[in-house]
Structures are given as C-alpha cells and as structure tokens.
Amino acid sequence: MTDIFSLTYEQACALLCENGFRATQAANIFRDIYKNKAGSFDEMKSVSAKVKQLLSDRFYFGVLKIDEILQSVDTVKYLFELSDGCRVETVLMRQKYGNSVCISTQSGCNMGCKFCCSGRMKKQRDLTCAEMILQILSVEKHQNITISNITVMGIGEPFDNYRALCDFIDIATLPHGLEMGTNHITVSTCGLCDRIRQFADRKDPCNLAVSLHAPNDEIRDMLMPVNRRYKVGEVIKAAKYYSEKCNRKVLLEYIMLDGINDSRENAGQLAELIGEARLFVNLIPFNASNGSIYRRSSEEKITAFYDELKKNGINVTRRKEFGSQLSAACGQLRSDRIISIDTQSGGTI
Ligand code: SAH
C-alpha cells in the first residue's frame, strides 16, 4: 500500500488507463484530494465508486502526528512524528507577502556540515513524497491558512532524495494539486553539482539556493565534507548553469561564522568568485545551539562583509531572522528537544 499523497498526476493517469478508465478522471481525483481536502476515500465526491475502489485497493490517506509545537509571533515550528516513529521538523513563517513553510526531506542528514545540527543526527531514511506534501497540508489544516511559499530547506539534503523531491514539486505546482507557482518554491542544496544540472534540465524549474558558506576550498573543506566531492569552483559553475539555463536568480547562502569565513578578504574572494554571474548572496547570521563550536559573527563584521560585496557590485541581502529563539535553524528542534509549548499529545492533523 502507498500513501495517496505520493501519487503524481502522471501515475494517476497511467493507473486509470491500465484499468480501463479514462485518464481525464485523474483531474477529479486530484480535485477531491487537494481542492476539496478529502481525508478519506468516503469523502471523495468527484470520482465514481469504481475508481474509489481502484484507489482504496492500492492507497491509504497518510497523516502526520504532531509531537511538539513551538511558537513565537511570526514563527511556528512543528516536530512531526512519521508512521515509523522518525521525526522531522517543519517551520511556518508568517512573512509580509504570505505564509511560507520550510519543509524537511530526510529524517536526519548525512552531509555532515560542521555547523549544522541536522548533521549530528545521521540520516535514518529519506522522506516519501507524501511525507513532504503532508508537512504542507498539516500546517495549513492546523493553522487554517493557505501556504503561499515553500522552501525546501529543513532537515536533509533534497538532492540526496531526488526522485521524491521531483514528485513533490510536480504535485506542489500542479494546477489540480497545491497550485503553487515555481517561483514560489525554493530548493536549497549543499551543492551536489550533478543534481543541480539535472534539476536545471527539468521543465518548469523552481528557485535554487546553494549553501556555499565559504569563498575558497580551504575553508569549505573544513566546514562541509561535500567539498571533497564538489569543489567551490565546480559549485559556482553549476550555480551559473542553473541561473542561465532556467533564467532564474540563484541564491548563494553564506553563514557568517566568527573568525572563520567573515573577514573583508573573504568577502573580496567571494566577489571574485561570482564575477559577473547572476548569483545573489544571502548572508545568514549563524544560529548557535548547545555544544556548537562556532559563534556568530558580530554585527560590525557582517556589515563590513556586506559593504565589501556591495562595493564589488555583488547583489547581497541579509536573511531576516525567524525563530532563532525557537531553535528554528536546521535540525535544532530535533536535536535540542527543548521546552515543549502547546504539545498536542497524540493528536493527528
Ligand atoms: N541540505 C540543504 C538544505 C538544508 S540546510 C542545504 O545544505 O542547503 C538549510 C540551510 O540552513 C543551509 O544553508 C544550511 O547551511 C543552513 N543552516 C544549517 N544550520 C544552521 C545554523 N545553525 N544557523 C544558520 N543556518 C544554518
């Protein structure tokens, strides 16, 4: 049996055709699930009894259990428990332009970035497409809101779970599905260059963010084990390929770590690396957590770094901080398991 939220439109069409139904019924299936928010086969009103039977023989409606919720004014952080007990984090941020949700793609992560909490928890498994979709649907239902933006920046490396990620994006952007524009979805990767290129070659590509965090191999080797496989120069080349092929701006994420990567000289190196390319730098204040060996750069250092990039003609922004007091940086809730506010013990949504 498969969770129905993993079913893509193409798969639904194929299943219908193989069983003697018209492929056009797929639109009805998706309308029931994603527009009418059916939570069971009984609640599906647009499809025939025979189609319902076909579906219920193969699929079930999955749910995520809320294990913990932390809230502040503009941020709500969920710790969800999956059917096998694995836990993942999802963060809702209320932005000026709408509701944005940051989803996880794996339970734990094997990339091992030294500054990141997710890396302390080895990957237990990849999430299914359904488990990604359900993070969105669960938050929408719990908050009674519509999500307008998705960032795939939670726990895990999305490109290390590529098939499920692509299915997720297909359903998220499908007019009969979540109906999100591709420019409202951003996928963040630690820099798996082959996948960046493969992702660029898909139809309807979404926005891309690349976790660079260093202006040279010496520093990146120290922070990110993935740099042994894909060097800084290659990562920049792949990012350029994406931005040119997809005609989209690509964000280079850069965590400011005190005394590690935040000197004026580092800013100069970064500017040189980018050159004329349409790559945008997003400076991220480091969110320290228990046992972290790094500290966040001072405001003065961040400003000087920012100014140096600007002076060199680089497009640079500073990330607005959401939920730092909620341990909202990647993997922090799962690894800290700090205070629990408003725990809906045992409840499913
Ligand atoms: N694996 C993907 C997506 C998950 S991490 C990636 O590497 O991009 C999402 C972003 O959060 C990355 O840029 C990551 O480097 C950053 N991040 C991780 N831990 C952080 C921390 N403690 N403070 C600030 N940003 C952090």
Side-chain angles (χ1 to χ4, degrees):
M1 293 285 261
T2 308
D3 193 324
I4 193 128
F5 296 106
S6 281
L7 179 69
T8 64
Y9 196 75
E10 283 71 27
Q11 288 164 354
C13 291
L15 180 71
L16 287 163
C17 291
E18 279 162 22
N19 289 276
F21 297 100
R22 288 214 307 270
T24 47
Q25 288 260 31
N28 295 337
I29 297 175
F30 276 77
R31 188 175 313 113
D32 270 347
I33 297 174
Y34 292 101
K35 294 281 178 288
N36 305 334
K37 310 280 181 202
S40 67
F41 295 108
D42 285 343
E43 291 170 49
M44 295 180 79
K45 303 282 180 240
S46 317
V47 294
S48 66
K50 282 191 175 158
V51 170
K52 266 191 221 180
Q53 190 60 49
L54 175 77
L55 293 173
S56 61
D57 286 345
R58 291 163 177 78
F59 299 96
Y60 64 92
F61 279 81
V63 283
L64 299 183
K65 194 168 131 190
I66 300 179
D67 195 29
E68 214 166 301
I69 300 177
L70 296 174
Q71 344 211 9
S72 69
V73 184
D74 52 13
T75 313
V76 186
K77 181 154 186 167
Y78 293 85
L79 186 64
F80 287 117
E81 188 181 322
L82 310 177
S83 54
D84 60 354
C86 284
R87 289 185 171 78
V88 293
E89 299 175 8
T90 307
V91 182
L92 164 68
M93 289 156 286
R94 298 178 206 281
Q95 313 256 20
K96 275 197 216 92
Y97 53 79
N99 296 308
S100 177
V101 160
C102 175
I103 67 155
S104 296
T105 51
Q106 297 177 320
S107 180
C109 183
N110 279 345
M111 296 301 131
C113 301
K114 295 286 186 289
F115 47 80
C116 180
C117 286
S118 302
R120 291 194 214 146
M121 306 165 284
K122 279 275 161 239
K123 181 173 97 173
Q124 286 171 286
R125 67 171 172 86
D126 290 330
L127 299 198
T128 62
C129 165
E131 288 162 339
M132 296 182 216
I133 291 284
L134 280 167
Q135 291 176 61
I136 311 284
L137 296 180
S138 303
V139 172
E140 284 191 330
K141 187 168 176 192
H142 187 247
Q143 300 283 330
N144 196 19
I145 53 171
T146 304
I147 302 300
S148 55
N149 284 73
I150 299 171
T151 54
V152 186
M153 287 191 186
I155 297 176
E157 168 50 45
F159 286 167
D160 187 35
N161 185 11
Y162 191 72
R163 194 59 262 153
L165 172 78
C166 292
D167 286 352
F168 165 77
I169 290 171
D170 285 348
I171 296 173
T173 53
L174 188 78
H176 301 298
L178 296 179
E179 210 182 353
M180 312 267 315
T182 45
N183 56 340
H184 290 259
I185 301 177
T186 303
V187 174
S188 178
T189 175
C190 65
L192 304 184
C193 297
D194 299 328
R195 290 291 193 210
I196 292 177
R197 288 167 193 275
Q198 195 178 351
F199 201 57
D201 295 338
R202 269 171 57 88
K203 68 171 171 42
D204 302 333
C206 56
N207 296 323
L208 183 74
V210 180
S211 297
L212 188 68
H213 304 323
N216 59 47
D217 285 325
E218 197 190 337
I219 300 177
R220 202 164 189 266
D221 276 340
M222 199 168 72
L223 297 174
M224 302 175 72
V226 69
N227 205 59
R228 277 185 243 130
R229 206 157 94 200
Y230 300 107
K231 297 288 169 204
V232 167
E234 266 182 82
V235 175
I236 294 291
K237 255 199 230 157
K240 283 184 189 169
Y241 178 80
Y242 196 92
S243 105
E244 283 159 20
K245 176 89 201 292
C246 308
N247 195 23
R248 291 219 175 253
K249 77 178 194 190
V250 173
L251 270 191
L252 298 178
E253 295 163 283
Y254 197 101
I255 298 183
M256 300 294 292
L257 299 169
D258 185 36
I260 305 284
N261 63 357
D262 61 350
S263 69
R264 205 178 279 270
E265 189 197 349
N266 294 152
Q269 291 172 327
L270 180 58
E272 205 167 307
L273 209 54
I274 295 171
E276 301 293 310
R278 196 159 161 255
L279 304 175
F280 292 67
V281 177
N282 190 216
L283 299 179
I284 309 173
F286 175 58
N287 224 334
S289 66
N290 300 342
S292 172
I293 53 169
Y294 299 108
R295 279 169 308 165
R296 97 170 24 199
S297 305
S298 65
E299 279 303 308
E300 297 74 53
K301 278 274 194 68
I302 299 179
T303 306
F305 198 94
Y306 176 97
D307 290 344
E308 186 68 21
L309 288 177
K310 276 266 177 222
K311 202 178 84 192
N312 283 282
I314 302 297
N315 285 299
V316 52
T317 47
R318 275 192 64 170
R319 176 168 296 175
K320 176 170 170 354
E321 277 193 89
F322 275 92
S324 52
Q325 71 280 37
L326 292 187
S327 283
C330 207
Q332 285 187 333
L333 180 59
R334 243 199 76 185
S335 66
D336 287 1
R337 293 201 55 100
I338 46 166
I339 41 157
S340 158
I341 307 167
D342 185 20
T343 309
Q344 308 228 325
S345 49
T348 53
I349 52 171

Short mmCIF file of all heavy atoms in Angstrom, two decimals, residues 109 111 113 115-117 152-158 188-190 209-211 213 224 253 255 284-288 319 329-330 332, ligand 1:
data_model
loop_
_atom_site.label_atom_id
_atom_site.label_comp_id
_atom_site.label_asym_id
_atom_site.label_seq_id
_atom_site.Cartn_x
_atom_site.Cartn_y
_atom_site.Cartn_z
N CYS A 109 20.48 13.70 8.44
CA CYS A 109 21.18 14.11 7.22
C CYS A 109 22.59 13.52 7.25
O CYS A 109 23.21 13.45 8.31
CB CYS A 109 21.26 15.64 7.16
SG CYS A 109 22.04 16.28 5.66
N MET A 111 25.12 14.69 5.25
CA MET A 111 26.09 15.60 4.62
C MET A 111 27.16 16.06 5.61
O MET A 111 28.25 16.45 5.20
CB MET A 111 25.38 16.79 3.98
CG MET A 111 24.46 16.39 2.84
SD MET A 111 25.34 15.54 1.50
CE MET A 111 24.31 14.12 1.23
N CYS A 113 27.71 18.72 7.55
CA CYS A 113 28.24 20.09 7.67
C CYS A 113 28.50 20.38 9.16
O CYS A 113 27.65 20.09 10.01
CB CYS A 113 27.23 21.10 7.11
SG CYS A 113 26.83 20.79 5.38
N PHE A 115 28.67 22.97 11.07
CA PHE A 115 27.93 23.98 11.83
C PHE A 115 26.47 23.61 12.01
O PHE A 115 25.72 24.31 12.67
CB PHE A 115 28.00 25.32 11.07
CG PHE A 115 27.69 25.14 9.61
CD1 PHE A 115 26.39 25.03 9.18
CD2 PHE A 115 28.72 24.99 8.69
CE1 PHE A 115 26.10 24.79 7.85
CE2 PHE A 115 28.43 24.76 7.34
CZ PHE A 115 27.12 24.66 6.93
N CYS A 116 26.03 22.51 11.40
CA CYS A 116 24.59 22.22 11.29
C CYS A 116 24.17 21.10 12.24
O CYS A 116 24.82 20.06 12.31
CB CYS A 116 24.28 21.82 9.84
SG CYS A 116 22.56 21.43 9.58
N CYS A 117 23.06 21.34 12.94
CA CYS A 117 22.57 20.35 13.91
C CYS A 117 22.07 19.08 13.23
O CYS A 117 22.16 18.00 13.80
CB CYS A 117 21.40 20.92 14.69
SG CYS A 117 21.93 22.12 15.88
N VAL A 152 12.45 24.39 0.58
CA VAL A 152 12.88 23.03 0.89
C VAL A 152 14.26 23.18 1.51
O VAL A 152 15.29 23.02 0.85
CB VAL A 152 12.89 22.15 -0.39
CG1 VAL A 152 13.19 20.70 -0.03
CG2 VAL A 152 11.55 22.24 -1.11
N MET A 153 14.25 23.55 2.78
CA MET A 153 15.48 23.94 3.48
C MET A 153 15.53 23.38 4.89
O MET A 153 16.30 23.83 5.72
CB MET A 153 15.55 25.46 3.64
CG MET A 153 15.86 26.24 2.41
SD MET A 153 16.20 27.95 2.84
CE MET A 153 16.35 28.66 1.21
N GLY A 154 14.64 22.44 5.19
CA GLY A 154 14.62 21.86 6.54
C GLY A 154 15.67 20.78 6.67
O GLY A 154 16.70 20.82 5.99
N ILE A 155 15.38 19.78 7.49
CA ILE A 155 16.36 18.70 7.70
C ILE A 155 16.54 17.90 6.41
O ILE A 155 15.56 17.56 5.73
CB ILE A 155 15.88 17.76 8.82
CG1 ILE A 155 15.80 18.52 10.15
CG2 ILE A 155 16.81 16.56 8.96
CD1 ILE A 155 15.25 17.70 11.29
N GLY A 156 17.79 17.58 6.10
CA GLY A 156 18.08 16.70 4.97
C GLY A 156 18.63 17.42 3.77
O GLY A 156 18.57 18.65 3.67
N GLU A 157 19.17 16.64 2.85
CA GLU A 157 19.68 17.17 1.58
C GLU A 157 18.68 16.78 0.48
O GLU A 157 18.60 15.60 0.10
CB GLU A 157 21.08 16.61 1.31
CG GLU A 157 21.62 16.85 -0.08
CD GLU A 157 21.52 18.31 -0.56
OE1 GLU A 157 21.85 19.23 0.21
OE2 GLU A 157 21.09 18.51 -1.71
N PRO A 158 17.92 17.75 -0.04
CA PRO A 158 16.86 17.42 -1.02
C PRO A 158 17.37 16.63 -2.22
O PRO A 158 16.71 15.71 -2.69
CB PRO A 158 16.34 18.78 -1.46
CG PRO A 158 16.86 19.77 -0.50
CD PRO A 158 17.99 19.18 0.26
N SER A 188 16.95 24.19 -1.50
CA SER A 188 18.31 24.51 -1.05
C SER A 188 19.16 23.25 -1.01
O SER A 188 18.76 22.23 -0.46
CB SER A 188 18.23 25.13 0.35
OG SER A 188 19.51 25.41 0.84
N THR A 189 20.34 23.34 -1.62
CA THR A 189 21.24 22.17 -1.64
C THR A 189 22.61 22.55 -1.10
O THR A 189 23.04 23.70 -1.21
CB THR A 189 21.40 21.62 -3.08
OG1 THR A 189 22.38 20.57 -3.06
CG2 THR A 189 21.86 22.70 -4.06
N CYS A 190 23.30 21.55 -0.56
CA CYS A 190 24.67 21.80 -0.09
C CYS A 190 25.64 21.83 -1.27
O CYS A 190 26.83 22.04 -1.08
CB CYS A 190 25.08 20.74 0.92
SG CYS A 190 25.17 19.10 0.23
N ALA A 209 18.67 27.59 -4.14
CA ALA A 209 19.62 28.18 -3.20
C ALA A 209 20.75 27.18 -3.00
O ALA A 209 20.51 25.98 -2.93
CB ALA A 209 18.94 28.48 -1.87
N VAL A 210 21.97 27.67 -2.99
CA VAL A 210 23.12 26.79 -2.82
C VAL A 210 23.88 27.21 -1.57
O VAL A 210 24.24 28.38 -1.41
CB VAL A 210 24.06 26.86 -4.05
CG1 VAL A 210 25.26 25.93 -3.86
CG2 VAL A 210 23.31 26.48 -5.32
N SER A 211 24.08 26.26 -0.67
CA SER A 211 24.79 26.56 0.57
C SER A 211 26.28 26.58 0.28
O SER A 211 26.91 25.52 0.18
CB SER A 211 24.48 25.49 1.62
OG SER A 211 23.12 25.53 1.93
N HIS A 213 28.80 29.04 1.82
CA HIS A 213 29.36 29.24 3.16
C HIS A 213 30.86 29.49 3.22
O HIS A 213 31.42 29.65 4.31
CB HIS A 213 29.02 28.08 4.10
CG HIS A 213 27.55 27.80 4.23
ND1 HIS A 213 26.60 28.77 4.25
CD2 HIS A 213 26.86 26.63 4.36
CE1 HIS A 213 25.40 28.24 4.36
NE2 HIS A 213 25.53 26.94 4.43
N MET A 224 32.44 21.74 5.28
CA MET A 224 31.47 20.89 4.58
C MET A 224 32.16 19.72 3.89
O MET A 224 32.83 19.89 2.87
CB MET A 224 30.71 21.73 3.54
CG MET A 224 30.00 22.93 4.14
SD MET A 224 29.23 24.01 2.92
CE MET A 224 27.84 23.03 2.37
N GLU A 253 23.91 30.84 -0.30
CA GLU A 253 23.76 31.05 1.14
C GLU A 253 25.14 31.07 1.80
O GLU A 253 26.02 30.28 1.45
CB GLU A 253 22.91 29.93 1.74
CG GLU A 253 21.49 29.94 1.22
CD GLU A 253 20.79 28.62 1.48
OE1 GLU A 253 21.06 27.66 0.74
OE2 GLU A 253 20.00 28.56 2.42
N ILE A 255 26.65 31.45 5.67
CA ILE A 255 26.51 31.63 7.12
C ILE A 255 27.74 32.38 7.63
O ILE A 255 28.88 32.00 7.32
CB ILE A 255 26.46 30.27 7.86
CG1 ILE A 255 25.25 29.46 7.41
CG2 ILE A 255 26.41 30.47 9.36
CD1 ILE A 255 25.09 28.17 8.15
N ILE A 284 23.68 34.85 6.20
CA ILE A 284 22.84 34.25 7.25
C ILE A 284 23.56 34.35 8.60
O ILE A 284 24.66 33.81 8.75
CB ILE A 284 22.58 32.75 6.96
CG1 ILE A 284 22.07 32.56 5.53
CG2 ILE A 284 21.65 32.15 7.98
CD1 ILE A 284 21.96 31.10 5.11
N PRO A 285 22.97 35.05 9.57
CA PRO A 285 23.59 35.05 10.89
C PRO A 285 23.53 33.63 11.47
O PRO A 285 22.49 32.98 11.39
CB PRO A 285 22.71 36.00 11.72
CG PRO A 285 21.86 36.72 10.73
CD PRO A 285 21.73 35.83 9.53
N PHE A 286 24.64 33.14 11.97
CA PHE A 286 24.70 31.77 12.49
C PHE A 286 23.80 31.65 13.72
O PHE A 286 23.79 32.49 14.60
CB PHE A 286 26.14 31.42 12.87
CG PHE A 286 26.29 30.08 13.52
CD1 PHE A 286 25.88 28.93 12.87
CD2 PHE A 286 26.86 29.97 14.79
CE1 PHE A 286 26.03 27.68 13.48
CE2 PHE A 286 27.02 28.73 15.40
CZ PHE A 286 26.60 27.59 14.74
N ASN A 287 23.03 30.57 13.75
CA ASN A 287 22.15 30.29 14.88
C ASN A 287 22.84 29.25 15.77
O ASN A 287 22.82 28.06 15.45
CB ASN A 287 20.86 29.68 14.29
CG ASN A 287 19.63 30.25 14.92
OD1 ASN A 287 19.66 30.71 16.06
ND2 ASN A 287 18.55 30.21 14.19
N ALA A 288 23.47 29.71 16.82
CA ALA A 288 24.24 28.77 17.65
C ALA A 288 23.31 27.90 18.47
O ALA A 288 22.22 28.31 18.82
CB ALA A 288 25.17 29.55 18.56
N ARG A 319 19.70 37.72 5.57
CA ARG A 319 18.48 36.97 5.87
C ARG A 319 17.79 37.52 7.10
O ARG A 319 18.43 37.75 8.13
CB ARG A 319 18.79 35.49 6.08
CG ARG A 319 17.55 34.71 6.49
CD ARG A 319 17.76 33.24 6.44
NE ARG A 319 18.03 32.79 5.08
CZ ARG A 319 18.36 31.54 4.79
NH1 ARG A 319 18.44 30.64 5.73
NH2 ARG A 319 18.60 31.19 3.54
N ALA A 329 16.75 26.98 13.41
CA ALA A 329 17.70 26.62 12.36
C ALA A 329 17.67 25.11 12.18
O ALA A 329 17.25 24.37 13.06
CB ALA A 329 19.10 27.09 12.70
N CYS A 330 18.15 24.75 10.99
CA CYS A 330 18.10 23.37 10.55
C CYS A 330 18.40 22.33 11.64
O CYS A 330 19.50 22.28 12.17
CB CYS A 330 19.15 23.25 9.45
SG CYS A 330 18.80 22.01 8.31
N GLN A 332 17.57 21.97 14.68
CA GLN A 332 17.81 22.30 16.09
C GLN A 332 16.73 21.78 17.03
O GLN A 332 17.04 21.39 18.15
CB GLN A 332 17.94 23.82 16.26
CG GLN A 332 19.27 24.32 15.76
CD GLN A 332 19.49 25.78 16.07
OE1 GLN A 332 18.54 26.55 16.21
NE2 GLN A 332 20.73 26.16 16.21
N1 SAH B 1 20.92 20.35 2.82
C1 SAH B 1 20.41 21.56 2.29
C2 SAH B 1 19.15 22.07 2.97
C3 SAH B 1 19.10 22.02 4.46
S1 SAH B 1 20.06 23.20 5.35
C4 SAH B 1 21.49 22.63 2.27
O1 SAH B 1 22.59 22.36 2.73
O2 SAH B 1 21.25 23.71 1.74
C5 SAH B 1 19.30 24.73 5.03
C6 SAH B 1 20.21 25.94 5.27
O3 SAH B 1 20.34 26.19 6.68
C7 SAH B 1 21.60 25.71 4.72
O4 SAH B 1 22.08 26.86 4.08
C8 SAH B 1 22.36 25.44 5.99
O5 SAH B 1 23.71 25.61 5.78
C9 SAH B 1 21.70 26.40 6.97
N2 SAH B 1 21.98 26.14 8.38
C10 SAH B 1 22.24 24.96 8.98
N3 SAH B 1 22.49 25.12 10.29
C11 SAH B 1 22.40 26.46 10.55
C12 SAH B 1 22.59 27.26 11.72
N4 SAH B 1 22.87 26.72 12.89
N5 SAH B 1 22.44 28.62 11.60
C13 SAH B 1 22.11 29.17 10.40
N6 SAH B 1 21.92 28.45 9.27
C14 SAH B 1 22.08 27.11 9.33
#
